[in-house]
Amino acid sequence: MLRHFDLELDELKRQLLGMGRLVEMAISASLEALETLNAVAASNVVAADRAIDELENALDERCFDLLALKQPMAVDLRFIAMSMKISTDLERMADLAVDIAQRVIELAGKPLLKPLVDIPKLAALSKRMTSEALLAFVEKDADAAAGIIIMDREADRLRNLIQKELMEDFMAKDTSVAPRAIPLLLIARHLERICDHATNIAEDVIYMVRADIVKHHPERLNPE
Amino acid sequence: MDKEIRMRAEGVNFFYGSRPALKDVNLEIYRNQVTAIIGPSGCGKSTFIRLLNRMNDMVPKSRLEGRIFLDGDDIHDPETDVVDIRRRVGMVFQKPNPFPKSIFENIKYGLEINGMRDKSVIEDKVVDSLKKAALWEEVKGRLYDSALRLSGGQQQRLCIARCLAVEPEVILFDEPCASLDPISTARIEELLMELKQEYTIVIVTHNMQQAARVSGNTAFFLLGEIVEFGKTQDIFTKPRDSRTEAYITGRFG
């Protein structure tokens, strides 16, 4: 029996995906601004964040109403509760895109400290993890979600590599480069945090699909 | 709530003898919406819904003050035809009450009372009503079986079909799921969501969760008064009155 409630759940899913698409666009736009050190493009990312904030509020309100009015159970309950958590992660990811854009504004007009090698790798990984986390949510694919959680180790490794290089090879040798090194350090940190939020979404997808809590329990991850 | 008003209670007081059962009730019921009336036992919710199609007319020593309008007409006006009001404002009761006749005759009866004689028109109406009440698929092969052989949930949907056959504008549901199991209840609730596309619905229920699930607007009655009336999502997530909050969170009642 198709329930009217199913239509409301579909609408919630559409709303969440719409927010997810905007967040993906914000991350991509901040990374494009970084590639070209384009302060105008970076400012556009900052300005676009407001719409995502509003979407988070609207989504939370919808979830809240569904919980209060429809008394969802089992898979429906997990879907709505996880949607609320995912919207929080998405909003934080958009904030991190804004943080990257602000670092770009700081860097614009100055020569780059060094050619970027590992930051583009981490950027590509953060985009991939974000889009795959959203896909795993849409397709209720717990195995794909488990794969995303494993990718986070690579994100941590790249962040550590970038941090070590900037601190040991540059700032330790010449403190005057700090104004150009610190924004790059922070960008690596922002990108790694985006990957963490994508990981959170993946953990929520696994809970939604299998009702297994894998957060803080990596031993429970068992992708096929 | 900027919807079109279908029914309106204006300054309604109702007395059983000298005992007041409703005190200054003012309520607007909107077209194509489900309006839920909730409240503890004895709060006046059933008394109120029964006034909406004059079911209290025959209660001895009862007295009504104030007015109730259906599309602008005062339904308690002495000039108003009570049979016409009850056709326009149908009612489904707590306990399914099919006549001890066939499924077909249960629906035919109301049509004949309302002057319909054409056999083929009656047959079309019976089928149409059963479809609208989401019962057709389950009974199409046994229309001439006794209605009493249907399950409780099916009997209740038959009563809804019987009500729909005479083309009401408003349907009143007085605890329609009180005697039904959860699956039958879910079917009736789904049906309400369908019916509101075409009809205006008022439902009285003890079951707050049901009111939350099915209605667009909710009125909370207490001791014969309306404590709060508003959008269901507001009543159940951010009630303005502390008594509403206490009731819906189970702190009293």
Side-chain angles (χ1 to χ4, degrees), chain B residues 90-125:
Chain B
M91 192 156 194
V92 175
F93 297 88
Q94 177 171 343
K95 199 160 177 280
N97 55 352
F99 306 131
K101 290 172 176 286
S102 72
I103 294 166
F104 186 88
E105 281 174 300
N106 259 275
I107 299 173
K108 187 178 86 164
Y109 184 78
L111 294 169
E112 286 179 344
I113 291 267
N114 280 278
M116 199 168 286
R117 293 285 175 266
D118 186 323
K119 207 175 157 191
S120 70
V121 175
I122 288 177
E123 279 174 6
D124 288 348
K125 288 264 181 204

PDB file of all heavy atoms in Angstrom, chain B residues 90-125:
ATOM      1  N   GLY B  90     -22.482  14.737   6.346  1.00  0.00           N
ATOM      2  CA  GLY B  90     -22.618  13.313   6.681  1.00  0.00           C
ATOM      3  C   GLY B  90     -21.845  12.984   7.946  1.00  0.00           C
ATOM      4  O   GLY B  90     -21.033  13.775   8.423  1.00  0.00           O
ATOM      5  N   MET B  91     -22.126  11.788   8.484  1.00  0.00           N
ATOM      6  CA  MET B  91     -21.455  11.426   9.730  1.00  0.00           C
ATOM      7  C   MET B  91     -21.084   9.945   9.753  1.00  0.00           C
ATOM      8  O   MET B  91     -21.857   9.093   9.313  1.00  0.00           O
ATOM      9  CB  MET B  91     -22.360  11.751  10.918  1.00  0.00           C
ATOM     10  CG  MET B  91     -21.648  11.690  12.244  1.00  0.00           C
ATOM     11  SD  MET B  91     -22.509  12.718  13.448  1.00  0.00           S
ATOM     12  CE  MET B  91     -21.328  12.831  14.742  1.00  0.00           C
ATOM     13  N   VAL B  92     -19.891   9.673  10.250  1.00  0.00           N
ATOM     14  CA  VAL B  92     -19.427   8.298  10.433  1.00  0.00           C
ATOM     15  C   VAL B  92     -19.126   8.145  11.917  1.00  0.00           C
ATOM     16  O   VAL B  92     -18.449   8.989  12.506  1.00  0.00           O
ATOM     17  CB  VAL B  92     -18.166   8.031   9.581  1.00  0.00           C
ATOM     18  CG1 VAL B  92     -17.612   6.643   9.856  1.00  0.00           C
ATOM     19  CG2 VAL B  92     -18.478   8.211   8.089  1.00  0.00           C
ATOM     20  N   PHE B  93     -19.641   7.051  12.495  1.00  0.00           N
ATOM     21  CA  PHE B  93     -19.589   6.917  13.951  1.00  0.00           C
ATOM     22  C   PHE B  93     -18.451   6.022  14.415  1.00  0.00           C
ATOM     23  O   PHE B  93     -17.780   5.365  13.620  1.00  0.00           O
ATOM     24  CB  PHE B  93     -20.933   6.377  14.449  1.00  0.00           C
ATOM     25  CG  PHE B  93     -22.070   7.311  14.164  1.00  0.00           C
ATOM     26  CD1 PHE B  93     -22.757   7.247  12.948  1.00  0.00           C
ATOM     27  CD2 PHE B  93     -22.444   8.276  15.084  1.00  0.00           C
ATOM     28  CE1 PHE B  93     -23.791   8.129  12.664  1.00  0.00           C
ATOM     29  CE2 PHE B  93     -23.477   9.157  14.811  1.00  0.00           C
ATOM     30  CZ  PHE B  93     -24.148   9.087  13.597  1.00  0.00           C
ATOM     31  N   GLN B  94     -18.304   6.005  15.737  1.00  0.00           N
ATOM     32  CA  GLN B  94     -17.227   5.236  16.363  1.00  0.00           C
ATOM     33  C   GLN B  94     -17.314   3.750  16.024  1.00  0.00           C
ATOM     34  O   GLN B  94     -16.353   3.127  15.608  1.00  0.00           O
ATOM     35  CB  GLN B  94     -17.322   5.433  17.874  1.00  0.00           C
ATOM     36  CG  GLN B  94     -16.314   4.643  18.647  1.00  0.00           C
ATOM     37  CD  GLN B  94     -16.326   5.046  20.118  1.00  0.00           C
ATOM     38  OE1 GLN B  94     -16.852   6.092  20.482  1.00  0.00           O
ATOM     39  NE2 GLN B  94     -15.763   4.233  20.951  1.00  0.00           N
ATOM     40  N   LYS B  95     -18.522   3.210  16.193  1.00  0.00           N
ATOM     41  CA  LYS B  95     -18.705   1.791  15.941  1.00  0.00           C
ATOM     42  C   LYS B  95     -19.330   1.658  14.559  1.00  0.00           C
ATOM     43  O   LYS B  95     -20.341   2.318  14.289  1.00  0.00           O
ATOM     44  CB  LYS B  95     -19.644   1.215  17.009  1.00  0.00           C
ATOM     45  CG  LYS B  95     -19.577  -0.265  17.146  1.00  0.00           C
ATOM     46  CD  LYS B  95     -20.140  -0.690  18.509  1.00  0.00           C
ATOM     47  CE  LYS B  95     -20.139  -2.196  18.633  1.00  0.00           C
ATOM     48  NZ  LYS B  95     -21.255  -2.843  17.959  1.00  0.00           N
ATOM     49  N   PRO B  96     -18.749   0.847  13.687  1.00  0.00           N
ATOM     50  CA  PRO B  96     -19.369   0.694  12.366  1.00  0.00           C
ATOM     51  C   PRO B  96     -20.816   0.226  12.538  1.00  0.00           C
ATOM     52  O   PRO B  96     -21.081  -0.681  13.328  1.00  0.00           O
ATOM     53  CB  PRO B  96     -18.525  -0.400  11.692  1.00  0.00           C
ATOM     54  CG  PRO B  96     -17.273  -0.499  12.488  1.00  0.00           C
ATOM     55  CD  PRO B  96     -17.576  -0.009  13.867  1.00  0.00           C
ATOM     56  N   ASN B  97     -21.730   0.892  11.832  1.00  0.00           N
ATOM     57  CA  ASN B  97     -23.142   0.566  12.027  1.00  0.00           C
ATOM     58  C   ASN B  97     -23.842   0.265  10.710  1.00  0.00           C
ATOM     59  O   ASN B  97     -24.797   0.937  10.347  1.00  0.00           O
ATOM     60  CB  ASN B  97     -23.844   1.712  12.775  1.00  0.00           C
ATOM     61  CG  ASN B  97     -23.654   3.049  12.060  1.00  0.00           C
ATOM     62  OD1 ASN B  97     -22.885   3.144  11.101  1.00  0.00           O
ATOM     63  ND2 ASN B  97     -24.347   4.080  12.502  1.00  0.00           N
ATOM     64  N   PRO B  98     -23.360  -0.764   9.991  1.00  0.00           N
ATOM     65  CA  PRO B  98     -24.059  -1.106   8.734  1.00  0.00           C
ATOM     66  C   PRO B  98     -25.451  -1.652   9.046  1.00  0.00           C
ATOM     67  O   PRO B  98     -25.677  -2.205  10.121  1.00  0.00           O
ATOM     68  CB  PRO B  98     -23.167  -2.189   8.123  1.00  0.00           C
ATOM     69  CG  PRO B  98     -22.421  -2.788   9.257  1.00  0.00           C
ATOM     70  CD  PRO B  98     -22.258  -1.694  10.282  1.00  0.00           C
ATOM     71  N   PHE B  99     -26.366  -1.473   8.097  1.00  0.00           N
ATOM     72  CA  PHE B  99     -27.690  -2.078   8.257  1.00  0.00           C
ATOM     73  C   PHE B  99     -27.547  -3.581   8.056  1.00  0.00           C
ATOM     74  O   PHE B  99     -26.679  -4.021   7.292  1.00  0.00           O
ATOM     75  CB  PHE B  99     -28.663  -1.520   7.210  1.00  0.00           C
ATOM     76  CG  PHE B  99     -28.739  -0.022   7.210  1.00  0.00           C
ATOM     77  CD1 PHE B  99     -28.631   0.697   6.017  1.00  0.00           C
ATOM     78  CD2 PHE B  99     -28.934   0.690   8.394  1.00  0.00           C
ATOM     79  CE1 PHE B  99     -28.697   2.078   6.009  1.00  0.00           C
ATOM     80  CE2 PHE B  99     -28.999   2.075   8.386  1.00  0.00           C
ATOM     81  CZ  PHE B  99     -28.883   2.766   7.187  1.00  0.00           C
ATOM     82  N   PRO B 100     -28.409  -4.380   8.686  1.00  0.00           N
ATOM     83  CA  PRO B 100     -28.338  -5.839   8.495  1.00  0.00           C
ATOM     84  C   PRO B 100     -28.902  -6.236   7.123  1.00  0.00           C
ATOM     85  O   PRO B 100     -29.886  -6.964   7.015  1.00  0.00           O
ATOM     86  CB  PRO B 100     -29.183  -6.374   9.656  1.00  0.00           C
ATOM     87  CG  PRO B 100     -30.125  -5.275   9.984  1.00  0.00           C
ATOM     88  CD  PRO B 100     -29.436  -3.987   9.649  1.00  0.00           C
ATOM     89  N   LYS B 101     -28.277  -5.698   6.122  1.00  0.00           N
ATOM     90  CA  LYS B 101     -28.718  -5.938   4.735  1.00  0.00           C
ATOM     91  C   LYS B 101     -27.476  -6.197   3.908  1.00  0.00           C
ATOM     92  O   LYS B 101     -26.366  -6.228   4.437  1.00  0.00           O
ATOM     93  CB  LYS B 101     -29.433  -4.688   4.200  1.00  0.00           C
ATOM     94  CG  LYS B 101     -30.783  -4.400   4.811  1.00  0.00           C
ATOM     95  CD  LYS B 101     -31.276  -3.040   4.341  1.00  0.00           C
ATOM     96  CE  LYS B 101     -32.679  -2.760   4.862  1.00  0.00           C
ATOM     97  NZ  LYS B 101     -33.712  -3.537   4.161  1.00  0.00           N
ATOM     98  N   SER B 102     -27.641  -6.334   2.585  1.00  0.00           N
ATOM     99  CA  SER B 102     -26.474  -6.594   1.736  1.00  0.00           C
ATOM    100  C   SER B 102     -25.617  -5.332   1.623  1.00  0.00           C
ATOM    101  O   SER B 102     -26.071  -4.219   1.938  1.00  0.00           O
ATOM    102  CB  SER B 102     -26.916  -7.025   0.336  1.00  0.00           C
ATOM    103  OG  SER B 102     -27.451  -5.913  -0.352  1.00  0.00           O
ATOM    104  N   ILE B 103     -24.405  -5.542   1.153  1.00  0.00           N
ATOM    105  CA  ILE B 103     -23.493  -4.406   0.936  1.00  0.00           C
ATOM    106  C   ILE B 103     -24.159  -3.405  -0.003  1.00  0.00           C
ATOM    107  O   ILE B 103     -24.200  -2.193   0.259  1.00  0.00           O
ATOM    108  CB  ILE B 103     -22.163  -4.928   0.335  1.00  0.00           C
ATOM    109  CG1 ILE B 103     -21.451  -5.807   1.379  1.00  0.00           C
ATOM    110  CG2 ILE B 103     -21.277  -3.795  -0.153  1.00  0.00           C
ATOM    111  CD1 ILE B 103     -20.316  -6.658   0.809  1.00  0.00           C
ATOM    112  N   PHE B 104     -24.720  -3.933  -1.092  1.00  0.00           N
ATOM    113  CA  PHE B 104     -25.369  -3.090  -2.102  1.00  0.00           C
ATOM    114  C   PHE B 104     -26.511  -2.280  -1.484  1.00  0.00           C
ATOM    115  O   PHE B 104     -26.601  -1.067  -1.653  1.00  0.00           O
ATOM    116  CB  PHE B 104     -25.895  -3.978  -3.238  1.00  0.00           C
ATOM    117  CG  PHE B 104     -26.451  -3.208  -4.394  1.00  0.00           C
ATOM    118  CD1 PHE B 104     -25.630  -2.802  -5.432  1.00  0.00           C
ATOM    119  CD2 PHE B 104     -27.805  -2.879  -4.446  1.00  0.00           C
ATOM    120  CE1 PHE B 104     -26.144  -2.077  -6.498  1.00  0.00           C
ATOM    121  CE2 PHE B 104     -28.329  -2.159  -5.502  1.00  0.00           C
ATOM    122  CZ  PHE B 104     -27.496  -1.757  -6.531  1.00  0.00           C
ATOM    123  N   GLU B 105     -27.353  -2.972  -0.718  1.00  0.00           N
ATOM    124  CA  GLU B 105     -28.538  -2.295  -0.145  1.00  0.00           C
ATOM    125  C   GLU B 105     -28.153  -1.242   0.896  1.00  0.00           C
ATOM    126  O   GLU B 105     -28.851  -0.250   1.056  1.00  0.00           O
ATOM    127  CB  GLU B 105     -29.480  -3.327   0.470  1.00  0.00           C
ATOM    128  CG  GLU B 105     -30.309  -4.026  -0.588  1.00  0.00           C
ATOM    129  CD  GLU B 105     -31.140  -5.149   0.015  1.00  0.00           C
ATOM    130  OE1 GLU B 105     -30.543  -6.075   0.587  1.00  0.00           O
ATOM    131  OE2 GLU B 105     -32.375  -5.060  -0.086  1.00  0.00           O
ATOM    132  N   ASN B 106     -27.062  -1.467   1.577  1.00  0.00           N
ATOM    133  CA  ASN B 106     -26.612  -0.482   2.553  1.00  0.00           C
ATOM    134  C   ASN B 106     -26.422   0.882   1.899  1.00  0.00           C
ATOM    135  O   ASN B 106     -26.748   1.909   2.485  1.00  0.00           O
ATOM    136  CB  ASN B 106     -25.298  -0.930   3.196  1.00  0.00           C
ATOM    137  CG  ASN B 106     -25.495  -1.522   4.575  1.00  0.00           C
ATOM    138  OD1 ASN B 106     -25.544  -0.812   5.570  1.00  0.00           O
ATOM    139  ND2 ASN B 106     -25.671  -2.833   4.628  1.00  0.00           N
ATOM    140  N   ILE B 107     -25.879   0.849   0.680  1.00  0.00           N
ATOM    141  CA  ILE B 107     -25.608   2.129   0.019  1.00  0.00           C
ATOM    142  C   ILE B 107     -26.859   2.629  -0.698  1.00  0.00           C
ATOM    143  O   ILE B 107     -27.168   3.823  -0.690  1.00  0.00           O
ATOM    144  CB  ILE B 107     -24.412   1.973  -0.942  1.00  0.00           C
ATOM    145  CG1 ILE B 107     -23.178   1.565  -0.117  1.00  0.00           C
ATOM    146  CG2 ILE B 107     -24.142   3.264  -1.708  1.00  0.00           C
ATOM    147  CD1 ILE B 107     -21.979   1.223  -0.934  1.00  0.00           C
ATOM    148  N   LYS B 108     -27.600   1.691  -1.268  1.00  0.00           N
ATOM    149  CA  LYS B 108     -28.816   2.052  -2.004  1.00  0.00           C
ATOM    150  C   LYS B 108     -29.817   2.779  -1.101  1.00  0.00           C
ATOM    151  O   LYS B 108     -30.488   3.713  -1.525  1.00  0.00           O
ATOM    152  CB  LYS B 108     -29.450   0.769  -2.567  1.00  0.00           C
ATOM    153  CG  LYS B 108     -30.622   1.019  -3.490  1.00  0.00           C
ATOM    154  CD  LYS B 108     -31.158  -0.274  -4.052  1.00  0.00           C
ATOM    155  CE  LYS B 108     -32.167  -0.891  -3.105  1.00  0.00           C
ATOM    156  NZ  LYS B 108     -33.001  -1.933  -3.720  1.00  0.00           N
ATOM    157  N   TYR B 109     -29.860   2.353   0.158  1.00  0.00           N
ATOM    158  CA  TYR B 109     -30.868   2.872   1.093  1.00  0.00           C
ATOM    159  C   TYR B 109     -30.833   4.401   1.172  1.00  0.00           C
ATOM    160  O   TYR B 109     -31.851   5.078   1.013  1.00  0.00           O
ATOM    161  CB  TYR B 109     -30.626   2.256   2.472  1.00  0.00           C
ATOM    162  CG  TYR B 109     -31.649   2.641   3.499  1.00  0.00           C
ATOM    163  CD1 TYR B 109     -32.897   2.031   3.517  1.00  0.00           C
ATOM    164  CD2 TYR B 109     -31.373   3.621   4.454  1.00  0.00           C
ATOM    165  CE1 TYR B 109     -33.846   2.385   4.463  1.00  0.00           C
ATOM    166  CE2 TYR B 109     -32.313   3.980   5.400  1.00  0.00           C
ATOM    167  CZ  TYR B 109     -33.551   3.368   5.407  1.00  0.00           C
ATOM    168  OH  TYR B 109     -34.488   3.729   6.334  1.00  0.00           O
ATOM    169  N   GLY B 110     -29.639   4.938   1.381  1.00  0.00           N
ATOM    170  CA  GLY B 110     -29.511   6.394   1.528  1.00  0.00           C
ATOM    171  C   GLY B 110     -29.898   7.124   0.249  1.00  0.00           C
ATOM    172  O   GLY B 110     -30.469   8.218   0.291  1.00  0.00           O
ATOM    173  N   LEU B 111     -29.598   6.489  -0.884  1.00  0.00           N
ATOM    174  CA  LEU B 111     -29.927   7.116  -2.169  1.00  0.00           C
ATOM    175  C   LEU B 111     -31.444   7.180  -2.337  1.00  0.00           C
ATOM    176  O   LEU B 111     -31.991   8.193  -2.788  1.00  0.00           O
ATOM    177  CB  LEU B 111     -29.292   6.317  -3.311  1.00  0.00           C
ATOM    178  CG  LEU B 111     -27.761   6.334  -3.332  1.00  0.00           C
ATOM    179  CD1 LEU B 111     -27.222   5.303  -4.309  1.00  0.00           C
ATOM    180  CD2 LEU B 111     -27.249   7.732  -3.697  1.00  0.00           C
ATOM    181  N   GLU B 112     -32.136   6.088  -1.960  1.00  0.00           N
ATOM    182  CA  GLU B 112     -33.594   6.058  -2.100  1.00  0.00           C
ATOM    183  C   GLU B 112     -34.262   7.047  -1.158  1.00  0.00           C
ATOM    184  O   GLU B 112     -35.219   7.724  -1.531  1.00  0.00           O
ATOM    185  CB  GLU B 112     -34.106   4.634  -1.843  1.00  0.00           C
ATOM    186  CG  GLU B 112     -33.784   3.727  -3.022  1.00  0.00           C
ATOM    187  CD  GLU B 112     -34.245   2.287  -2.828  1.00  0.00           C
ATOM    188  OE1 GLU B 112     -34.551   1.905  -1.672  1.00  0.00           O
ATOM    189  OE2 GLU B 112     -34.279   1.555  -3.825  1.00  0.00           O
ATOM    190  N   ILE B 113     -33.718   7.144   0.070  1.00  0.00           N
ATOM    191  CA  ILE B 113     -34.254   8.123   1.023  1.00  0.00           C
ATOM    192  C   ILE B 113     -34.199   9.524   0.424  1.00  0.00           C
ATOM    193  O   ILE B 113     -35.051  10.368   0.660  1.00  0.00           O
ATOM    194  CB  ILE B 113     -33.392   8.113   2.321  1.00  0.00           C
ATOM    195  CG1 ILE B 113     -33.582   6.823   3.076  1.00  0.00           C
ATOM    196  CG2 ILE B 113     -33.667   9.329   3.197  1.00  0.00           C
ATOM    197  CD1 ILE B 113     -34.634   6.861   4.136  1.00  0.00           C
ATOM    198  N   ASN B 114     -33.131   9.742  -0.358  1.00  0.00           N
ATOM    199  CA  ASN B 114     -32.966  11.062  -0.973  1.00  0.00           C
ATOM    200  C   ASN B 114     -33.656  11.154  -2.337  1.00  0.00           C
ATOM    201  O   ASN B 114     -33.347  12.031  -3.136  1.00  0.00           O
ATOM    202  CB  ASN B 114     -31.491  11.424  -1.067  1.00  0.00           C
ATOM    203  CG  ASN B 114     -30.958  11.946   0.264  1.00  0.00           C
ATOM    204  OD1 ASN B 114     -31.113  13.102   0.599  1.00  0.00           O
ATOM    205  ND2 ASN B 114     -30.385  11.043   1.058  1.00  0.00           N
ATOM    206  N   GLY B 115     -34.555  10.219  -2.598  1.00  0.00           N
ATOM    207  CA  GLY B 115     -35.438  10.343  -3.759  1.00  0.00           C
ATOM    208  C   GLY B 115     -34.916   9.753  -5.058  1.00  0.00           C
ATOM    209  O   GLY B 115     -35.510   9.969  -6.125  1.00  0.00           O
ATOM    210  N   MET B 116     -33.845   9.003  -5.001  1.00  0.00           N
ATOM    211  CA  MET B 116     -33.305   8.459  -6.242  1.00  0.00           C
ATOM    212  C   MET B 116     -34.011   7.147  -6.574  1.00  0.00           C
ATOM    213  O   MET B 116     -34.165   6.270  -5.723  1.00  0.00           O
ATOM    214  CB  MET B 116     -31.797   8.235  -6.077  1.00  0.00           C
ATOM    215  CG  MET B 116     -31.102   8.129  -7.408  1.00  0.00           C
ATOM    216  SD  MET B 116     -29.321   8.207  -7.187  1.00  0.00           S
ATOM    217  CE  MET B 116     -29.110   9.927  -6.829  1.00  0.00           C
ATOM    218  N   ARG B 117     -34.453   7.015  -7.816  1.00  0.00           N
ATOM    219  CA  ARG B 117     -35.213   5.817  -8.196  1.00  0.00           C
ATOM    220  C   ARG B 117     -34.570   5.065  -9.369  1.00  0.00           C
ATOM    221  O   ARG B 117     -34.780   3.866  -9.535  1.00  0.00           O
ATOM    222  CB  ARG B 117     -36.646   6.216  -8.603  1.00  0.00           C
ATOM    223  CG  ARG B 117     -37.470   6.743  -7.443  1.00  0.00           C
ATOM    224  CD  ARG B 117     -37.923   5.609  -6.521  1.00  0.00           C
ATOM    225  NE  ARG B 117     -38.618   6.142  -5.343  1.00  0.00           N
ATOM    226  CZ  ARG B 117     -38.043   6.408  -4.179  1.00  0.00           C
ATOM    227  NH1 ARG B 117     -36.750   6.184  -4.030  1.00  0.00           N
ATOM    228  NH2 ARG B 117     -38.732   6.893  -3.166  1.00  0.00           N
ATOM    229  N   ASP B 118     -33.853   5.769 -10.201  1.00  0.00           N
ATOM    230  CA  ASP B 118     -33.302   5.169 -11.429  1.00  0.00           C
ATOM    231  C   ASP B 118     -32.279   4.080 -11.071  1.00  0.00           C
ATOM    232  O   ASP B 118     -31.231   4.352 -10.497  1.00  0.00           O
ATOM    233  CB  ASP B 118     -32.634   6.277 -12.257  1.00  0.00           C
ATOM    234  CG  ASP B 118     -32.169   5.773 -13.609  1.00  0.00           C
ATOM    235  OD1 ASP B 118     -31.694   4.617 -13.693  1.00  0.00           O
ATOM    236  OD2 ASP B 118     -32.277   6.549 -14.585  1.00  0.00           O
ATOM    237  N   LYS B 119     -32.613   2.824 -11.463  1.00  0.00           N
ATOM    238  CA  LYS B 119     -31.811   1.678 -11.044  1.00  0.00           C
ATOM    239  C   LYS B 119     -30.355   1.772 -11.531  1.00  0.00           C
ATOM    240  O   LYS B 119     -29.411   1.492 -10.788  1.00  0.00           O
ATOM    241  CB  LYS B 119     -32.463   0.406 -11.602  1.00  0.00           C
ATOM    242  CG  LYS B 119     -32.175  -0.819 -10.773  1.00  0.00           C
ATOM    243  CD  LYS B 119     -32.942  -2.002 -11.327  1.00  0.00           C
ATOM    244  CE  LYS B 119     -32.249  -3.291 -10.885  1.00  0.00           C
ATOM    245  NZ  LYS B 119     -32.747  -4.456 -11.575  1.00  0.00           N
ATOM    246  N   SER B 120     -30.183   2.189 -12.784  1.00  0.00           N
ATOM    247  CA  SER B 120     -28.810   2.205 -13.314  1.00  0.00           C
ATOM    248  C   SER B 120     -27.989   3.329 -12.658  1.00  0.00           C
ATOM    249  O   SER B 120     -26.791   3.176 -12.414  1.00  0.00           O
ATOM    250  CB  SER B 120     -28.801   2.336 -14.836  1.00  0.00           C
ATOM    251  OG  SER B 120     -29.222   3.619 -15.213  1.00  0.00           O
ATOM    252  N   VAL B 121     -28.671   4.432 -12.362  1.00  0.00           N
ATOM    253  CA  VAL B 121     -27.957   5.521 -11.667  1.00  0.00           C
ATOM    254  C   VAL B 121     -27.546   5.048 -10.279  1.00  0.00           C
ATOM    255  O   VAL B 121     -26.423   5.288  -9.820  1.00  0.00           O
ATOM    256  CB  VAL B 121     -28.834   6.805 -11.576  1.00  0.00           C
ATOM    257  CG1 VAL B 121     -28.135   7.875 -10.744  1.00  0.00           C
ATOM    258  CG2 VAL B 121     -29.151   7.338 -12.960  1.00  0.00           C
ATOM    259  N   ILE B 122     -28.477   4.336  -9.605  1.00  0.00           N
ATOM    260  CA  ILE B 122     -28.168   3.824  -8.262  1.00  0.00           C
ATOM    261  C   ILE B 122     -26.980   2.867  -8.332  1.00  0.00           C
ATOM    262  O   ILE B 122     -26.050   2.953  -7.529  1.00  0.00           O
ATOM    263  CB  ILE B 122     -29.412   3.136  -7.643  1.00  0.00           C
ATOM    264  CG1 ILE B 122     -30.440   4.206  -7.268  1.00  0.00           C
ATOM    265  CG2 ILE B 122     -29.029   2.302  -6.415  1.00  0.00           C
ATOM    266  CD1 ILE B 122     -31.745   3.670  -6.709  1.00  0.00           C
ATOM    267  N   GLU B 123     -26.988   1.971  -9.324  1.00  0.00           N
ATOM    268  CA  GLU B 123     -25.872   1.011  -9.447  1.00  0.00           C
ATOM    269  C   GLU B 123     -24.542   1.751  -9.636  1.00  0.00           C
ATOM    270  O   GLU B 123     -23.529   1.412  -9.013  1.00  0.00           O
ATOM    271  CB  GLU B 123     -26.107   0.064 -10.620  1.00  0.00           C
ATOM    272  CG  GLU B 123     -27.056  -1.070 -10.246  1.00  0.00           C
ATOM    273  CD  GLU B 123     -27.432  -1.946 -11.414  1.00  0.00           C
ATOM    274  OE1 GLU B 123     -26.876  -1.764 -12.516  1.00  0.00           O
ATOM    275  OE2 GLU B 123     -28.304  -2.822 -11.208  1.00  0.00           O
ATOM    276  N   ASP B 124     -24.566   2.760 -10.497  1.00  0.00           N
ATOM    277  CA  ASP B 124     -23.330   3.539 -10.734  1.00  0.00           C
ATOM    278  C   ASP B 124     -22.855   4.201  -9.441  1.00  0.00           C
ATOM    279  O   ASP B 124     -21.662   4.219  -9.127  1.00  0.00           O
ATOM    280  CB  ASP B 124     -23.566   4.635 -11.785  1.00  0.00           C
ATOM    281  CG  ASP B 124     -23.704   4.044 -13.176  1.00  0.00           C
ATOM    282  OD1 ASP B 124     -23.391   2.835 -13.334  1.00  0.00           O
ATOM    283  OD2 ASP B 124     -24.134   4.771 -14.094  1.00  0.00           O
ATOM    284  N   LYS B 125     -23.828   4.726  -8.690  1.00  0.00           N
ATOM    285  CA  LYS B 125     -23.474   5.435  -7.444  1.00  0.00           C
ATOM    286  C   LYS B 125     -22.881   4.463  -6.410  1.00  0.00           C
ATOM    287  O   LYS B 125     -21.955   4.817  -5.679  1.00  0.00           O
ATOM    288  CB  LYS B 125     -24.727   6.085  -6.825  1.00  0.00           C
ATOM    289  CG  LYS B 125     -25.211   7.284  -7.590  1.00  0.00           C
ATOM    290  CD  LYS B 125     -24.664   8.542  -6.979  1.00  0.00           C
ATOM    291  CE  LYS B 125     -25.166   9.753  -7.710  1.00  0.00           C
ATOM    292  NZ  LYS B 125     -24.265  10.897  -7.533  1.00  0.00           N
TER     293      LYS B 125
END
